[in-house]
Amino acid sequence: MTSINSVAEKCAGLFLLGMVISISISVFARLLYTYTGVPWSVPWAEELGRYMMVGSVFIGGAVAAYHLRLIGVDVFITAIPERIARWLRFLAHVLTLALALLLVWKSIQLIQLGLRQWSPAMEVPMAYVYILMGIGCVLMCANTFTHAVRELLNVDLPRQESVEMEEAMEIKNSMGSPL
């Protein structure tokens, strides 16, 4: 799962970069027309940016599930005994898994519909866009299922802190206590 999520993380980043580039092209074309009168039209750029955003959201959401970074309220979990907290985390994983499975089911229906629909500006089958939702939700199911099984078996995960968090902790430790 680590290698699959590593690839997914890179894909989500590339989708985000592609979105920024395509929207930048669209903005540049508008500015060029506004200030010079050069009629340069790029209707595909906004559409591509939207589709790239869909990819970054769903693939990125699966990666967030892998890293246990989905939104949650940790204050309640830390305030109760660990045994109860473990079962609440398991319940949260099960509910997340149920939602992801529902989204997989709906994405299959959208992909089937998208085989008959074409995007207006780029003229590609919409199934290509909808498949990003399916891939992201299937990966989210796999990641969430893995975490649910780990909670059920009471297996502790090694914390995978980000590089930024590690650097922040090093800076905090090197500065010492303010009082």
Side-chain angles (χ1 to χ4, degrees):
M1 288 304 293
T2 302
S3 59
I4 292 172
N5 282 290
S6 176
V7 170
E9 193 168 350
K10 288 173 181 55
C11 287
L14 287 174
F15 281 128
L16 192 60
L17 178 65
M19 180 185 71
V20 168
I21 290 171
S22 65
I23 297 300
S24 297
I25 290 170
S26 178
V27 169
F28 178 74
R30 280 194 214 142
L31 286 173
L32 187 68
Y33 177 71
T34 301
Y35 291 112
T36 65
V38 175
W40 187 37
S41 177
V42 286
W44 56 267
E46 289 182 33
E47 191 173 282
L48 180 63
R50 258 191 316 274
Y51 300 156
M52 293 279 183
M53 183 182 70
V54 169
S56 68
V57 165
F58 282 103
I59 304 296
V63 173
Y66 173 72
H67 289 294
L68 295 173
R69 301 284 187 195
L70 293 177
I71 191 166
V73 183
D74 291 338
V75 71
F76 298 120
I77 299 295
T78 57
I80 60 176
E82 178 57 31
R83 181 182 162 145
I84 297 171
R86 184 171 58 91
W87 286 105
L88 285 177
R89 285 191 301 268
F90 174 74
L91 178 64
H93 290 313
V94 168
L95 292 174
T96 303
L97 181 61
L99 175 65
L101 285 170
L102 176 69
L103 289 173
V104 167
W105 176 53
K106 287 298 183 181
S107 70
I108 291 169
Q109 293 175 346
L110 279 174
I111 292 167
Q112 291 170 345
L113 176 69
L115 290 172
R116 297 184 304 269
Q117 289 181 332
W118 296 81
S119 68
M122 295 180 2
E123 297 180 358
V124 297
M126 289 301 293
Y128 292 155
V129 178
Y130 299 144
I131 202 164
L132 296 172
M133 176 183 173
I135 291 169
C137 290
V138 165
L139 185 56
M140 184 180 284
C141 285
N143 289 333
T144 305
F145 179 76
T146 303
H147 290 308
V149 168
R150 286 183 176 159
E151 284 293 338
L152 190 61
L153 299 176
N154 199 15
V155 176
D156 285 333
L157 283 176
R159 279 288 182 199
Q160 298 177 344
E161 298 296 335
S162 66
V163 173
E164 294 87 10
M165 183 62 84
E166 290 175 6
E167 290 174 356
M169 292 304 289
E170 286 178 17
I171 292 171
K172 179 183 173 191
N173 291 337
S174 68
M175 294 176 67
S177 174
L179 294 176

